[in-house]
Amino acid sequence: QVQLVESGGGLVQAGGSLRLSCAASGRTFGSYAMGWFRQTPGKEREFLAAISRLGGRTYYLDSVKGRFTISRDNAKNTVYLQMNSLKAEDTAVYYCAAGRPPPGKYYNTGANEYDYWGQGTQVTVSS
């Protein structure tokens, strides 16, 4: 079992940056691909970025590509989401998730493909 705790959210002005962290418990962090999602009221959870078990492969939603960067430090059991050039429409609750991709895949992009979720951290971007 993996427990995930996000941190780093807050209020930032448009154009600013935030770095989200997601700390994982347990000794098996390196066996999970990790993802970041976000959700706003009344909408489904939206995939943002994913990273493979060892961090060698990443994948992004087109709308955040070039602005957001996912990374991980398996020695610290932590995955990060660096968010730059933030926009008002980035306002949401951000979640990290852990999952084991099926054979032949490096990561998952669907919310239902992840097994463990954090509690979420609020990001508010003021315009």
Side-chain angles (χ1 to χ4, degrees):
Q1 187 133 7
V2 177
Q3 292 185 326
L4 304 172
V5 179
E6 301 98 336
S7 61
L11 175 64
V12 63
Q13 289 188 334
S17 298
L18 280 176
R19 187 195 197 201
L20 305 183
S21 299
C22 172
S25 65
R27 302 179 184 176
T28 59
F29 178 71
S31 66
Y32 290 91
M34 300 297 295
W36 283 98
F37 292 74
R38 67 186 177 192
Q39 191 170 22
T40 54
K43 293 190 177 181
E44 292 187 356
R45 200 162 290 190
E46 178 183 44
F47 167 81
L48 297 174
I51 189 165
S52 58
R53 295 182 183 92
L54 299 181
R57 292 182 182 265
T58 58
Y59 183 78
Y60 297 92
L61 178 71
D62 283 347
S63 64
V64 305
K65 199 177 297 183
R67 297 192 300 125
F68 291 9
T69 302
I70 188 171
S71 62
R72 67 189 296 164
D73 185 339
N74 285 356
K76 296 182 178 179
N77 280 14
T78 302
V79 63
Y80 305 97
L81 186 68
Q82 177 68 44
M83 305 187 295
N84 299 327
S85 303
L86 283 163
K87 307 174 182 179
E89 52 263 43
D90 294 319
T91 295
V93 178
Y94 283 69
Y95 299 89
C96 66
R100 289 194 165 113
K105 289 185 66 177
Y106 292 100
Y107 39 68
N108 300 322
T109 57
N112 60 356
E113 297 174 300
Y114 285 86
D115 302 309
Y116 303 102
W117 293 85
Q119 82 290 349
T121 186
Q122 176 70 46
V123 171
T124 302
V125 183
S126 63
S127 56

